[in-house]
Amino acid sequence: MLVAAFMRLLSLCWSPVDASDGGGGEDDGGAGRERSDGLLRYRDIGQYGFGDFSMAVVQGNQVMEDQCRIESGPFGTFVGVYDGHGGPRPRGTRATISTLISVVSQVSSGSVGVTPESIERAFLQTEEGFIALVSELWDSQPDIATQGSCCLVGIICQQTLYVANLGDSRVVLGKRVGNTGEIAAIQLSTEHNVNVEAARQELKAQHPNDPQIVMLRHGVWRVKGIIQVSRSLGDAYMKQAEYNREPINQKFRISEPMNMPILSSRPSIISHSLQKNDSFLIFASDGFARRLVKAALQEAARKREMRYSDLRRIDRKVRRHFHDDITAIVLFLNHNLIASGLVQGPALSIRSALEH
């Protein structure tokens, strides 16, 4: 498996590199210097509240649909990876990011703090804001009804990791195995993609009277033959009948009546008490870290029987046929900081480098 191969590679270099290895240095408050390498934009090493981090993005679509954020401060650390889809403009996705971060910050600073219930409430409030934006722009920009986003969120607070997910982005925990030096890969997130049997059966159970709720098209399972994910933020055309009509593109329209939402905006949420042998976390839409993202691109090139250098030169308009947008964030866990409850350095706020 590609994930296993990536984890073997990361196990060789899981300790953060230092600034002399071309990393970030301290030129922007510990956040790490932004660099580029062909298709990649990355921060090789930087500091967040509970350790070091690395992040990388590579653009595959003509308009970058992936977005990511790292926020770290007195409340803890927030990581968000958002994989947008379905529309020519990313405005809906960007509005989602800003809204979700704001709502999570509000619930985190309350008297109860971070709980699975408060995280779910933040997601649902964000969904309400997304649908309100669709309603506001329906007459002038109806295509926003076909925009949506997978959403993967991680929050580290009081020695606990909370993971909330909609869609098929992943968070993988790297855990040291005894004294062997090996790293075991443990997937913490639940994938809501109907090519996964469990997601397919869940959707069928929710829509028992619709034999075409999932359809196999060209070897790929899709909800109503259109989209692979079964949960998302946005995608109003799959949730409210009033947005599944002209003037949206015909390929998004469903002929039969929509009596209930087809896609869900309710996230899967888990909590994990951080242990001393938990070494790092990888949050990714597709691919892992700078070196690993590059490995993913080389694999994409190999499958097309071409060189990586050739892939780098492909025009942005056609690169989507070779690989998707790729986003990865790696958080290294400093358990001395986590156990003490101390947050190192100043507050941190970083978003993905590609905003065009």
Side-chain angles (χ1 to χ4, degrees), residues 44-332:
D44 215 8
I45 199 69
Q47 291 184 340
Y48 74 104
F50 300 119
D52 294 334
F53 77 90
S54 180
M55 65 187 295
V57 295
V58 60
Q59 185 167 351
N61 295 293
Q62 184 175 3
V63 176
M64 181 72 173
E65 294 180 336
D66 279 18
Q67 305 287 321
C68 63
R69 292 287 287 269
I70 302 176
E71 303 283 336
S72 191
F75 72 91
T77 294
F78 171 100
V79 175
V81 174
Y82 311 86
D83 185 357
H85 54 255
R89 292 175 296 272
R91 179 174 178 181
T93 302
R94 291 176 181 171
T96 298
I97 296 169
S98 299
T99 302
L100 185 56
I101 290 174
S102 175
V103 175
V104 168
S105 297
Q106 290 174 16
V107 300
S108 300
S109 60
S111 57
V112 178
V114 179
T115 65
E117 293 75 20
S118 64
I119 294 173
E120 179 174 311
R121 189 165 64 250
F123 270 74
L124 297 179
Q125 288 181 26
T126 302
E127 171 77 355
E128 291 174 1
F130 201 127
I131 301 302
L133 181 64
V134 173
S135 177
E136 176 188 340
L137 298 177
W138 174 253
D139 291 335
S140 60
Q141 300 179 35
D143 284 344
I144 198 171
T146 67
Q147 288 186 27
S149 182
C150 299
C151 183
L152 173 64
V153 165
I155 301 174
I156 299 176
C157 181
Q158 296 180 344
Q159 303 183 52
T160 301
L161 168 69
Y162 298 90
V163 173
N165 190 48
L166 292 170
D168 53 7
S169 297
R170 293 182 180 186
V171 58
V172 175
L173 170 67
K175 180 184 287 286
R176 292 195 305 276
V177 180
N179 297 319
T180 65
E182 295 183 358
I183 300 291
I186 302 172
Q187 182 171 328
L188 298 180
S189 53
T190 300
E191 292 183 63
H192 308 123
N193 185 309
V194 292
N195 287 283
V196 176
E197 176 70 19
R200 199 158 60 245
Q201 292 305 321
E202 178 184 62
L203 205 57
K204 288 181 178 180
Q206 293 169 350
H207 302 269
N209 299 319
D210 187 351
Q212 294 185 320
I213 189 64
V214 289
M215 303 169 65
L216 190 63
R217 293 278 178 88
H218 306 292
V220 177
W221 288 100
R222 296 180 183 272
V223 181
K224 303 301 291 182
I226 300 173
I227 188 171
Q228 294 184 50
V229 296
S230 58
R231 303 193 198 187
S232 69
L233 288 173
D235 292 311
Y237 77 104
M238 278 284 197
K239 296 173 180 176
Q240 297 187 18
E242 62 186 292
Y243 301 121
N244 197 290
R245 59 182 175 86
E246 292 184 342
I248 69 169
N249 192 301
Q250 178 66 41
K251 69 180 181 179
F252 294 112
R253 286 186 238 155
I254 300 169
S255 57
E256 58 269 22
M258 187 187 303
N259 299 317
M260 62 180 290
I262 296 174
L263 302 187
S264 171
S265 58
R266 192 173 298 277
S268 293
I269 302 175
I270 66 100
S271 60
H272 171 76
S273 180
L274 292 171
Q275 308 297 316
K276 288 186 177 181
N277 59 340
D278 294 342
S279 298
F280 54 81
L281 297 161
I282 302 172
F283 297 83
S285 64
D286 190 4
F288 305 112
R290 177 171 70 92
R291 295 185 180 105
L292 305 180
V293 168
K294 192 168 184 177
L297 291 174
Q298 289 170 335
E299 176 68 9
R302 185 192 65 78
K303 289 181 178 178
R304 291 283 180 162
E305 297 183 350
M306 61 192 302
R307 293 172 299 182
Y308 171 68
S309 58
D310 295 328
L311 183 60
R312 289 175 59 170
R313 290 193 291 267
I314 293 176
D315 186 83
R316 187 180 298 163
K317 294 179 181 179
V318 298
R319 198 185 299 156
R320 175 64 178 87
H321 299 293
F322 294 81
H323 65 87
D324 197 1
D325 295 334
I326 299 173
T327 298
I329 297 173
V330 180
L331 298 185
F332 298 97

